[in-house]
Amino acid sequence: MLVKLPNNETKEILTLWMEGSDVKMINQKLLPYKFEIYTAKTYQDTAKAIKNMTVRGAGAIGVAGAYGIAQACLTAPKKDINSFLKHVKKAEKTLKNTRPTAVNLFHDIDRVLAKLNISLPPEKNEKIMIEEAKKIAEESIISGKKIGENGESLIKNGAKIMTHCNAGALAFVDWGSALAPIRLAHRNKKSIIVYVNETRPRSQGAKLTSWELLQEDIPHIIIPDTAAGYYISRKEIDLIIIGADRIAANGDTANKIGTYTLAILAKENNIPFYVAAPLSTFDLKTTNGKAIPIEQRSETEITHIWGLLEKNKKIEKIRITPKNSPAKNPAFDITPAKYITTFITEKTLINPPFEKTIKETLKN
Ligand code: RUB
């Protein structure tokens, strides 16, 4: 993605990449106030970065997980294949234990692990597995671009588009899922405006999507999540595009909390509701949305808010609720397939009946 650096230079930067045994990533906890690259030196650091959301978004944490396994291969004992295997399996457990909902994490880790061949020496396995992790990252960039190309045709000149959370380059390695068609429509000189839902509690819309759109001067407006219905009912939104963390075999979709509400609003007001996601987000082993595990995050994300203090320009956390009021923080919800117009993937646009078309698309 293009990033405007403080010295006014514009640079192409990936959300995360591997350099030697380090995993480098844009520190998303500091955006939009500070642009900084965090270096995860070990697989344990990478796991921590996934858990505390230094790197976040389904596609990005999938690649981070794959890189984490690659890091574990580098530090694994090489005296025999069993000790190598033991070390890598420990890393698998740590990395998979970070966030439960986005299936890309499990998919990408398993893809690297599938390359393990116990009849080969550890050094050879290390090489093959690191190559696979890097291949996953490269393919993720290509998928983002193709999702953009396949979805751009759905955006007409003059379109007013709503999105939720951040399903941009920051949630991927580059390009993004929901933001890829938007990015391309803008680059193709279509006049568009993006309504960015703030996405409480962590405000990925207000903090990250807005930052990402600003880098390419894509016109946008941040609105409170609670104003979505107001704008949609006044026919001020032409379409909604969101990303996804896991799509079940029947099309039920887990995405950031608040997505379900938007899908119903879209149906009620007759506007299309698009889900943009790579094929690695589809999980045929999960029959429907009820089987998708929903991450429950800390209540401090509700009771407190992070931001830049005006007076000293420091990033601080402040309490916004009474001390003794409990809070709950489900991070995702499930949108039933019946509310989804089309899935935009790197391969094709998937239309209903999803039970049939999803299976066919993933098979071929
Ligand atoms: C992110 C989120 C995003 C999807 C899209 O949640 O719900 O919409 O992950 O991902 P969080 P992608 O910020 O809690 O990780 O663009 O990678 O498909």
Side-chain angles (χ1 to χ4, degrees), residues 53 56-59 99 165-167 171-172 177 204 244-245 255-256:
M53 293 174 70
R56 33 89 23 224
R99 298 195 68 195
C165 193
N166 173 268
F172 236 67
S177 51
Q204 292 97 323
D245 290 84
N255 191 52
K256 183 52 55 185

Side-chain angles (χ1 to χ4, degrees), residues 39-343:
T39 302
K41 297 226 149 274
T42 60
Y43 81 78
Q44 290 93 337
D45 288 347
T46 302
K48 232 180 262 165
I50 297 171
K51 203 173 172 73
N52 69 24
M53 293 174 70
T54 301
V55 60
R56 33 89 23 224
I61 64 172
V63 172
Y67 281 156
I69 296 291
Q71 285 178 303
C73 291
L74 283 164
T75 48
K78 305 287 183 319
K79 60 179 189 312
D80 58 73
I81 192 69
N82 282 337
S83 19
F84 178 84
L85 198 66
K86 204 170 148 203
H87 184 86
V88 171
K89 285 279 172 195
K90 195 172 159 214
E92 175 193 2
K93 205 166 156 212
T94 309
L95 288 157
K96 284 187 173 172
N97 235 333
T98 49
R99 298 195 68 195
T101 304
V103 76
N104 311 60
L105 176 69
F106 306 93
H107 176 276
D108 291 355
I109 289 176
D110 288 342
R111 217 182 114 178
V112 181
L113 290 172
K115 289 283 162 188
L116 230 160
N117 180 347
I118 52 164
S119 50
L120 292 176
E123 287 82 2
K124 189 94 184 120
N125 271 303
E126 174 193 275
K127 189 170 174 287
I128 295 171
M129 289 165 80
I130 293 174
E131 267 167 21
E132 186 66 7
K134 291 189 174 165
K135 198 164 154 218
I136 292 173
E138 276 157 27
E139 284 178 15
S140 169
I141 300 173
I142 298 167
S143 318
K145 185 158 188 263
K146 290 210 168 129
I147 288 172
E149 288 164 359
N150 290 339
E152 200 256 355
S153 59
L154 302 169
I155 301 175
K156 293 201 179 75
N157 190 32
K160 298 189 209 75
I161 310 156
M162 180 174 280
T163 191
H164 191 63
C165 193
N166 173 268
L170 288 168
F172 236 67
V173 180
D174 201 358
W175 284 90
S177 51
L179 291 195
I182 292 174
R183 198 183 293 284
L184 211 60
H186 176 74
R187 287 187 190 175
N188 289 344
K189 309 268 179 279
K190 285 183 185 167
S191 150
I192 54 167
I193 181 149
V194 187
Y195 282 67
V196 177
N197 294 346
E198 67 178 338
T199 332
R200 269 285 283 155
R202 290 187 64 95
S203 309
Q204 292 97 323
K207 291 179 175 177
L208 304 177
T209 299
S210 57
W211 179 85
E212 214 181 297
L213 295 174
L214 272 178
Q215 304 310 304
E216 291 197 36
D217 299 316
I218 302 175
H220 63 280
I221 300 172
I222 301 167
I223 60 162
D225 299 322
T226 40
Y230 170 83
Y231 286 108
I232 294 170
S233 67
R234 286 163 53 104
K235 311 286 174 226
E236 290 188 36
I237 304 294
D238 300 310
L239 66 150
I240 299 178
I241 314 184
I242 53 129
D245 290 84
R246 191 185 298 225
I247 301 162
N250 71 343
D252 289 354
T253 294
N255 191 52
K256 183 52 55 185
I257 195 80
T259 302
Y260 171 50
T261 322
L262 290 179
I264 294 174
L265 282 168
K267 186 85 167 182
E268 173 69 20
N269 291 280
N270 286 316
I271 59 166
F273 188 84
Y274 298 120
V275 177
L279 294 180
S280 57
T281 306
F282 289 80
D283 180 16
L284 291 187
K285 282 190 254 133
T286 301
T287 20
N288 59 51
K290 285 200 187 83
I292 301 178
I294 300 294
E295 177 179 8
Q296 303 293 323
R297 293 189 61 85
S298 161
E299 67 170 20
T300 57
E301 291 180 351
I302 309 291
T303 57
H304 293 69
I305 199 157
W306 285 93
L308 193 74
L309 280 191
E310 289 287 358
K311 59 173 188 218
N312 58 12
K313 304 289 175 230
K314 280 201 174 131
I315 302 169
E316 295 282 0
K317 181 180 172 187
I318 59 160
R319 175 176 273 281
I320 53 171
T321 61
K323 232 181 172 153
N324 296 323
S325 294
K328 277 195 185 255
N329 186 12
F332 302 93
D333 59 23
I334 306 292
T335 297
K338 64 177 179 186
Y339 294 114
I340 297 165
T341 311
T342 298
F343 289 100

